[in-house]
Amino acid sequence: MKLKTLLTAATMLVFASNALAAPIVIKFSHVVAVNTPKGQAADYFKKLAEERTKGAVKVEVYPNSQLYKDKEEMEALQMGSVQMLAPSLAKFGPLGLKEFEVFDLPFIFDDYAELHKVTQGPVGAKLLKKLETKGLIGLAYWDNGFKVMSANKQLKNVEDFKGQKMRIQSSKVLDAQMRSVGAIPQVMAFSEVYQALQTGVVDGTENPPSNLYTQKMHEVQKYVTDSKHGYLGYAVLVNKKFWEGLPKDIRAALESSMKDATKFANDVAKKDNDEAMAAVKKSGKSQIIPLTPQERAAWKKAMDKAHKDNMGRIGADIVKEVYSATGYKPE
Ligand code: LMR
């Protein structure tokens, strides 16, 4: 028998004996719908991981805040009650990792190509490394998309935001972004947004179209401004102790599954968001408001305050590294 065949047989044997023992369970909790970029990528990771470990690993995906809401899922991961998450980059501040809020800076990325210069470059890697100080490992960045603004009034000019109560994720940069245009930000778990919009607890919100559409937010918002004023995406996290305690062969199989699931996530993100936007339009439930280049420039000019006010919080070095990767310049 050739050495390679022998080695493959040995690997199969290791996996088979692993599979005979109780499988290693990875609970992967997330807050969005199954038919979103993150939801589909989590399911794809499950498929690959279970196939490639021949059943030695079982991935249980819990979508739609079924298991934990935003804040609880972070705590659950640190405590080891779940093993894997893909929280939005706008939710790392409360962990003490304010640097991740660089991704929330309004108008910092013009498109996915600029985003990838950061997530697939040295700054992205440096940021993931910081997670280790919190007992976590960052395995990958998964894309979602560029946010739209929704409300029951047309948000076209900066003045239109005045006094509007806007739901945000738990990021101080997003708080500053909303305040920069005169809105009143309110942090709220994702699972509560639909009802808060429906009952008028808040007037509006921001999210990529894939989240807006799959949560049916457009059914309780009269207007959706196609602003693409900021980015929302994820880092896939695992509990460090759990990850480092895995047998080497299993970890390697999971790493290769994550690599392919990441490619999958980033391949579907734009298409999913484009389709969601088209579906919102087609539904006729809310009106899409386009922005002229001048209107968009006015938003950018006003929202630049969120950059200035958060330089110290994020770290001027990180902000500058991202600026030089993406070429951000204020109006
Ligand atoms: C939100 O809270 O609006 C998003 O972070 C939800 C998500 O995970 O995409």
Side-chain angles (χ1 to χ4, degrees):
M1 230 187 279
K2 275 200 197 130
L3 183 63
K4 197 170 163 218
T5 323
L6 258 167
L7 282 175
T8 314
T11 313
M12 300 278 278
L13 243 141
V14 172
F15 278 136
S17 62
N18 281 337
L20 280 179
I24 296 167
V25 175
I26 297 183
K27 290 191 176 156
F28 188 154
S29 174
H30 69 80
V31 299
V32 295
V34 173
N35 54 337
T36 53
K38 176 163 63 178
Q40 295 171 79
D43 289 347
Y44 190 58
F45 171 73
K46 169 188 167 69
K47 178 179 173 298
L48 296 181
E50 292 180 353
E51 276 171 17
R52 290 180 189 176
T53 62
K54 310 269 181 292
V57 169
K58 187 165 179 287
V59 181
E60 295 174 358
V61 181
Y62 298 92
N64 257 322
S65 311
Q66 229 170 61
L67 201 56
Y68 295 108
K69 298 201 287 186
D70 293 325
K71 191 163 156 292
E72 290 91 321
E73 69 172 21
M74 286 289 206
E75 288 159 8
L77 182 66
Q78 284 182 302
M79 283 169 51
S81 316
V82 291
Q83 290 68 38
M84 196 174 274
L85 302 176
S88 153
L89 300 163
K91 292 176 183 167
F92 289 63
L95 278 184
L97 297 166
K98 304 166 196 155
E99 301 89 338
F100 280 85
E101 291 181 6
V102 74
F103 290 100
D104 302 330
L105 288 168
F107 296 96
I108 188 129
F109 308 112
D110 282 338
D111 50 35
Y112 285 100
E114 281 190 11
L115 167 75
H116 292 159
K117 285 189 191 159
V118 177
T119 52
Q120 294 167 15
V123 194
K126 189 159 84 180
L127 287 172
L128 289 185
K129 199 91 191 110
K130 291 191 189 280
L131 288 158
E132 294 187 20
T133 60
K134 305 292 170 189
L136 303 171
I137 290 183
L139 295 179
Y141 289 98
W142 282 1
D143 294 352
N144 189 344
F146 294 88
K147 294 177 284 186
V148 294
M149 271 304 175
S150 67
N152 288 317
K153 73 180 272 200
Q154 295 199 27
L155 302 174
K156 214 167 161 51
N157 299 305
V158 170
E159 302 75 54
D160 300 332
F161 282 91
K162 197 168 166 34
Q164 288 284 297
K165 264 186 271 154
M166 301 295 284
R167 178 269 169 173
I168 55 163
Q169 307 172 81
S170 55
S171 154
K172 290 279 186 271
V173 168
L174 297 179
D175 183 287
Q177 169 202 276
M178 291 300 185
R179 287 184 200 283
S180 72
V181 288
I184 305 158
Q186 193 164 323
V187 174
M188 189 180 287
F190 185 64
S191 54
E192 290 160 17
V193 182
Y194 174 85
Q195 210 186 356
L197 292 170
Q198 190 187 34
T199 55
V201 168
V202 289
D203 300 309
T205 189
E206 57 166 11
N207 238 298
S210 58
N211 278 348
L212 176 95
Y213 181 67
T214 54
Q215 296 295 321
K216 299 188 174 24
M217 294 181 199
H218 64 294
E219 296 186 2
V220 290
Q221 295 274 266
K222 291 202 176 82
Y223 301 100
V224 174
T225 306
D226 189 6
S227 48
K228 300 189 179 74
H229 59 278
Y231 172 72
L232 189 154
Y234 313 104
V236 185
L237 310 181
V238 280
N239 180 297
K240 186 168 187 281
K241 211 162 136 214
F242 167 79
W243 194 248
E244 288 176 348
L246 289 171
K248 256 189 161 162
D249 54 338
I250 297 273
R251 202 164 56 219
L254 294 178
E255 276 164 359
S256 88
S257 306
M258 181 52 63
K259 193 163 171 254
D260 292 348
T262 300
K263 179 165 180 348
F264 173 91
N266 299 352
D267 283 350
V268 297
K270 182 174 184 311
K271 186 172 148 285
D272 275 10
N273 279 295
D274 290 348
E275 285 174 6
M277 198 61 177
V280 170
K281 200 169 187 174
K282 191 160 166 242
S283 76
K285 306 250 184 213
S286 48
Q287 192 184 325
I288 313 276
I289 310 293
L291 290 183
T292 64
Q294 292 76 13
E295 285 160 348
R296 204 162 174 275
W299 285 36
K300 184 175 174 189
K301 189 167 180 199
M303 289 179 179
D304 186 61
K305 188 167 185 321
H307 289 238
K308 296 212 171 64
D309 292 354
N310 284 285
M311 275 284 179
R313 177 178 166 84
I314 298 167
D317 51 339
I318 301 246
V319 177
K320 287 193 181 127
E321 279 175 73
V322 175
Y323 282 175
S324 74
T326 69
Y328 173 84
K329 278 191 192 61
E331 283 298 313

